[in-house]
Amino acid sequence: MSYNLNTNNKKEKASIPTWEELLESMEQASSHPSDTQWNIYRYLSANMENVDSQIARTLLASYMKIPSERPSLIHSMMLSVALKMSARFSDFVLPNFLKLWGYPQNLRDEDRNMTVAKDGRQYLSLKERTERQLQSYLLHHPDQRPGDEMSCIRHAIAVKVFLGDKERNTRSVVKLVGVDGEEYVAVPQMFPCKPWEIQGGVFDLLIYYTKEGVVRVREVVPCLKPMAEIFPVITGFVEHVDESHGHYHVYDYGSRHFVAEKPKVRARVGDFVSFVPVVPKDSKFKSAIIISVPPRQTAMCDYGFRRAKVNYIDKEKGYAAWELQKTDGANDIAAIKETGVDSPSFHSGFISQNVMEKYGMSLPSVNDVLNIIVFLKRGGDGQKRPYVVYYEKVLKA
């Protein structure tokens, strides 16, 4: 069956060619470039769900080889087809196509404006749809991103999964925190894993801003980079474990209090752990993602000692009074205080016999010079005070 390329019948021009008709049209492309381009467009549009990636890409490549006026309507229509192909086929390299297509210089003025349908509904412009699809492509292909960080793609840790309650008409949500402390909220259905596998994972988020300036998450994929390559890793001390809730209370050298919720790496009270500190900008609740339980002596050195001298012992009440001393090479004595907070701060405190017994130690003696591991902990009265969990005597030369 021959295919009439020169028909003036509008209905026939708009008809969808068969595969044989399309091939015949492409063979005569040099004589009828515009008709062939439209035939390729109509065939791909009608068969997008049926053709495979190789055929679709081959037809697009054939279109691109046909000389034509650009910008033009057909060129814009083929860009729309390419966006659908990119969403469907993982092997379609959208950035390469956009470069060949001549994006964005080959956009028409109409392609940059939002379109309005007959029913009054507004739709994204071709330019906006292209930008969104390109962002989605780069989200799924991190090796092709132009830089380590894109403004629309953020690395974030999932710190908490809140399960919904049908009776209370609440939905399940996931709270995430980025490297800069920015907080994000997504729904579990966005994640490529089971809800119970989300917490503690690192993900790449494709974000956007609403007209009101509120940040929203559009897509989520697993981050291919190791957590320790993106987020800082520090050493902390496990002071308490709430088994009923699975909460591990961790303190760092700067007296910051973190909670590791049901960590994948288990630790015990008294352990020193390597963890990622997650500090949200707009929340006081700091989370810890425990990575490992390193050798104790190495971890204690990483955590950091303070030099102190014992001035007084009260064996009856069970405490030893100490005062900070200068360490070798230090010009002054740094006060014990929480990072980012000016007060309270301390240069002295007490070693509790009860606490030492908890960690298998006894009280030191008067005039002993010690290396102590200490941080501020809130007491039953709500006040923060130095809390010594370990000491070792400094041997005199």
Side-chain angles (χ1 to χ4, degrees):
M1 174 180 177
S2 62
Y3 183 69
N4 184 4
L5 297 172
N6 297 314
T7 179
N8 293 318
N9 187 301
K10 292 183 179 180
K11 182 177 180 181
E12 192 171 41
K13 274 189 175 182
S15 64
I16 301 168
T18 64
W19 177 249
E20 291 75 15
E21 291 171 336
L22 179 61
L23 292 179
E24 183 179 347
S25 175
M26 291 168 63
E27 288 175 359
Q28 303 178 42
S30 58
S31 301
H32 309 282
S34 179
D35 285 342
T36 302
Q37 288 176 324
W38 279 104
N39 285 335
I40 294 173
Y41 166 73
R42 293 183 185 119
Y43 184 88
L44 281 175
S45 296
N47 296 281
M48 181 60 68
E49 299 301 320
N50 301 318
V51 297
D52 60 26
S53 175
Q54 183 175 356
I55 290 178
R57 287 184 285 113
T58 299
L59 291 178
L60 260 188
S62 299
Y63 161 81
M64 295 298 297
K65 292 177 181 178
I66 301 174
S68 66
E69 182 182 349
R70 300 172 184 177
S72 64
L73 174 60
I74 181 59
H75 205 50
S76 297
M77 298 294 277
M78 291 303 292
L79 175 55
S80 292
V81 169
L83 297 182
K84 294 178 182 178
M85 288 173 57
S86 176
R88 184 180 173 209
F89 303 123
S90 60
D91 58 352
F92 183 82
V93 186
L94 182 59
N96 288 354
F97 175 82
L98 293 179
K99 185 176 181 180
L100 291 172
W101 189 90
Y103 183 85
Q105 60 268 27
N106 280 335
L107 288 171
R108 303 172 301 155
D109 291 340
E110 305 95 298
D111 299 332
R112 302 174 187 273
N113 300 322
M114 186 173 289
T115 58
V116 181
K118 292 181 179 179
D119 60 3
R121 294 184 181 181
Q122 292 186 331
Y123 294 90
L124 295 176
S125 67
L126 178 59
K127 184 177 187 301
E128 288 174 306
R129 288 190 286 119
T130 303
E131 291 296 328
R132 284 194 180 189
Q133 187 56 41
L134 179 59
Q135 291 169 359
S136 179
Y137 177 89
L138 294 174
L139 177 73
H140 291 268
H141 299 82
D143 58 314
Q144 297 183 41
R145 295 174 192 169
D148 183 56
E149 287 295 334
M150 296 177 60
S151 60
C152 61
I153 298 177
R154 308 287 176 83
H155 302 306
I157 291 179
V159 296
K160 179 71 175 179
V161 179
F162 298 92
L163 297 178
D165 189 325
K166 290 184 179 179
E167 294 182 0
R168 298 181 181 179
N169 196 29
T170 59
R171 64 172 186 167
S172 298
V173 295
V174 180
K175 176 184 174 183
L176 304 104
V177 179
V179 180
D180 59 355
E182 195 71 40
E183 296 182 69
Y184 307 94
V185 175
V187 294
Q189 291 81 355
M190 288 183 170
F191 293 78
C193 54
K194 303 296 183 183
W196 55 86
E197 297 173 337
I198 296 174
Q199 188 165 306
V202 184
F203 300 91
D204 285 352
L205 313 181
L206 178 58
I207 66 165
Y208 69 99
Y209 291 89
T210 65
K211 293 180 179 179
E212 295 74 25
V214 179
V215 65
R216 294 282 187 263
V217 177
R218 179 170 282 128
E219 279 189 81
V220 179
V221 298
C223 180
L224 300 183
K225 290 186 177 181
M227 183 185 299
E229 188 177 320
I230 304 170
F231 293 84
V233 178
I234 63 175
T235 303
F237 177 80
V238 180
E239 185 273 331
H240 175 69
V241 175
D242 181 354
E243 295 288 358
S244 60
H245 295 92
H247 290 176
Y248 288 60
H249 295 264
V250 180
Y251 289 82
D252 72 353
Y253 181 83
S255 296
R256 294 184 299 176
H257 178 202
F258 299 85
V259 175
E261 185 171 348
K262 298 178 181 178
K264 296 176 182 178
V265 176
R266 292 303 181 93
R268 300 173 300 177
V269 172
D271 278 345
F272 290 86
V273 295
S274 293
F275 75 100
V276 171
V278 184
V279 185
K281 282 183 180 178
D282 302 320
S283 173
K284 294 182 178 179
F285 186 83
K286 294 183 279 291
S287 300
I289 308 298
I290 298 177
I291 295 177
S292 66
V293 182
R296 185 174 180 82
Q297 195 62 42
T298 301
M300 285 193 296
C301 292
D302 292 339
Y303 187 94
F305 290 97
R306 294 178 186 269
R307 184 69 55 82
K309 182 179 180 181
V310 178
N311 297 324
Y312 177 77
I313 296 287
D314 190 325
K315 293 184 178 180
E316 188 174 323
K317 293 183 178 180
Y319 70 83
W322 53 266
E323 185 176 2
L324 291 181
Q325 306 287 298
K326 288 184 180 180
T327 55
D328 297 337
N331 296 323
D332 53 16
I333 300 174
I336 302 168
K337 61 181 181 179
E338 184 177 350
T339 299
V341 180
D342 291 332
S343 63
S345 63
F346 298 86
H347 286 86
S348 61
F350 303 93
I351 297 177
S352 167
Q353 181 173 321
N354 291 335
V355 174
M356 290 298 97
E357 289 177 351
K358 179 179 179 181
Y359 300 115
M361 304 180 71
S362 59
L363 288 178
S365 302
V366 174
N367 293 326
D368 277 350
V369 178
L370 312 173
N371 283 330
I372 62 174
I373 287 181
V374 57
F375 49 84
L376 299 185
K377 180 188 173 186
R378 196 179 302 278
D381 59 358
Q383 300 299 313
K384 290 185 177 180
R385 297 183 181 86
Y387 187 75
V388 177
V389 295
Y390 176 85
Y391 75 84
E392 58 186 34
K393 293 182 181 181
V394 176
L395 300 179
K396 296 180 180 180

